């Protein structure tokens, strides 16, 4: 299949970022998944025939009628998504009833097990008329480790701790890190709880599981997780050296907020 330039760029972005996820050690086996709303970038896909029977989504995504997505495939490894996004993912279109999707490319690949979260989020982004097109879930070891400590799970405790490790984290992840208490992977409950957090955050922690980020593109979503992970590493390295890191002072944080208009 021949794709237009914009769509080829998006597929290249998927290849690049999925490679980073593997190199970072955030994507053991088939850990993590990616979806990208490509509706406006690929009008020619609208006329494509379905190549597999319709599949029920499990709920209605009323703002996604006929929307088209690239999604990584269930069971597919990021290290291979990186080599060939289209052999390890599919292109799906939401049906007229907004309750089913159909696959329009490629054969024999079913979408990620986290499709409920991905589609519910894209639906929510449409409601908000958001410019965000990319949704990414991954398993950053350092951040997940921090989610095993109950005091860190109270609202904005981790946000402030991670912000205070290095100025960039506040500057480039200005909304902080939302927290979703543990829910079964792939469940509608996980999707619903995630959307609740996305009202206030662009990155959310799935307790004892991973992180999910939304952004205008995959690079932005990746960079926010990477920045938070950097802070987590500084915190853990300090603890390993035997001290509790001081963190930026409130005054330094206030100064940052003003300087960067946060
Ligand atoms: O795709 O990470 O949460 C595998 C997962 C499920
Ligand atoms: Zn996961």
């Amino acid at each position: 299949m021949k794709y237009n330039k914009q769509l080829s760029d998006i597929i290249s972005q998927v290849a690049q970022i999925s490679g980073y996820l593997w190199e970072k050690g955030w994507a053991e086996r088939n850990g993590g998944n990616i979806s990208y709303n490509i509706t406006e970038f690929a009008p020619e896909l609208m006329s494509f025939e379905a190549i597999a029977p319709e599949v029920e989504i499990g709920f209605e995504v009323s703002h996604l009628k006929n929307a088209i997505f690239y999604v990584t495939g269930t069971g597919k490894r990021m290290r291979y998504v990186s080599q060939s996004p289209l052999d390890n993912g599919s292109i799906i279109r939401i049906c007229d009833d907004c309750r089913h999707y159909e696959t329009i490319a490629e054969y024999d690949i079913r979408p990620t097990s986290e499709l409920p979260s991905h589609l519910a989020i894209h639906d929510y982004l449409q409601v908000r008329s958001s410019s965000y097109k990319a949704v990414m879930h991954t398993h950053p070891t350092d951040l997940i480790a921090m989610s095993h400590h109950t005091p860190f799970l109270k609202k904005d405790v981790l946000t402030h701790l991670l912000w205070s490790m290095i100025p960039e984290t506040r500057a480039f992840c200005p909304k902080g890190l939302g927290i979703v208490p543990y829910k079964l992977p792939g469940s509608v409950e996980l999707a619903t709880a995630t959307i609740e957090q996305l009202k206030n955050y662009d990155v959310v922690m799935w307790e004892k599981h991973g992180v999910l980020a939304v952004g205008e593109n995959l690079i932005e979503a990746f960079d926010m997780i990477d920045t938070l992970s950097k802070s987590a590493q500084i915190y853990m390295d300090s603890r390993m050296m035997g001290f509790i890191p001081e963190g930026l002072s409130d005054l330094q944080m206030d100064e940052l907020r003003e300087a960067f208009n946060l």
Side-chain angles (χ1 to χ4, degrees), residues 14-32 34 76-83 136-139 141 222:
V14 172
Q16 180 193 10
I17 297 299
S18 53
Y20 293 164
L21 298 182
W22 167 248
E23 285 162 21
K24 281 272 176 192
W26 296 352
E28 74 294 339
R29 199 174 185 276
N30 61 317
I34 289 170
K76 300 299 181 189
R77 274 81 163 154
M78 285 296 160
R79 59 186 190 266
Y80 305 136
V81 172
S82 160
Q83 288 169 9
M136 188 171 102
H137 160 59
T138 187
H139 297 170
T141 317
F222 172 83

Side-chain angles (χ1 to χ4, degrees), residues 28 30-33 73-76 112-114 137-139 185-186 190 206 209:
E28 74 294 339
N30 61 317
N33 26 75
T74 186
K76 300 299 181 189
T112 165
S113 59
E114 298 292 0
H137 160 59
T138 187
H139 297 170
L190 179 58
W206 287 350
H209 175 170

Side-chain angles (χ1 to χ4, degrees), residues 5-6 12 16 42 72 82 110 118 145 159 176 182 185 191 194 213 217 224-226 238-239 261:
K5 166 89 171 77
Q6 272 182 313
S12 303
Q16 180 193 10
T72 50
S82 160
R110 278 184 303 121
H118 284 262
T159 294
Y182 184 83
T194 302
N217 55 55
M224 283 188 292
I225 302 175
D226 193 29
S238 303
R239 297 295 309 243
N261 233 340

Side-chain angles (χ1 to χ4, degrees), residues 5-53:
K5 166 89 171 77
Q6 272 182 313
L7 190 50
S8 305
D9 287 349
I10 289 172
I11 300 298
S12 303
Q13 213 182 93
V14 172
Q16 180 193 10
I17 297 299
S18 53
Y20 293 164
L21 298 182
W22 167 248
E23 285 162 21
K24 281 272 176 192
W26 296 352
E28 74 294 339
R29 199 174 185 276
N30 61 317
N33 26 75
I34 289 170
S35 65
Y36 213 119
N37 186 340
I38 56 174
T39 316
E40 71 184 66
F41 306 117
E44 69 267 34
L45 293 179
M46 213 46 106
S47 59
F48 274 43
E49 297 284 335
I51 56 172

Side-chain angles (χ1 to χ4, degrees), residues 56-117:
E56 213 173 317
I57 297 169
F59 50 90
E60 190 176 337
V61 285
S62 52
H63 302 86
L64 293 181
K65 185 176 170 182
N66 300 143
I68 299 177
F69 300 89
Y70 167 83
V71 284
T72 50
T74 186
K76 300 299 181 189
R77 274 81 163 154
M78 285 296 160
R79 59 186 190 266
Y80 305 136
V81 172
S82 160
Q83 288 169 9
S84 182
L86 289 168
D87 290 327
N88 291 277
S90 51
I91 296 181
I92 62 169
R93 181 173 52 215
I94 307 300
C95 300
D96 288 346
D97 68 358
C98 297
R99 293 187 156 274
H100 295 77
Y101 70 85
E102 54 194 7
T103 301
I104 56 177
E106 306 282 335
Y107 291 95
D108 289 338
I109 298 173
R110 278 184 303 121
T112 165
S113 59
E114 298 292 0
L115 194 68
S117 282

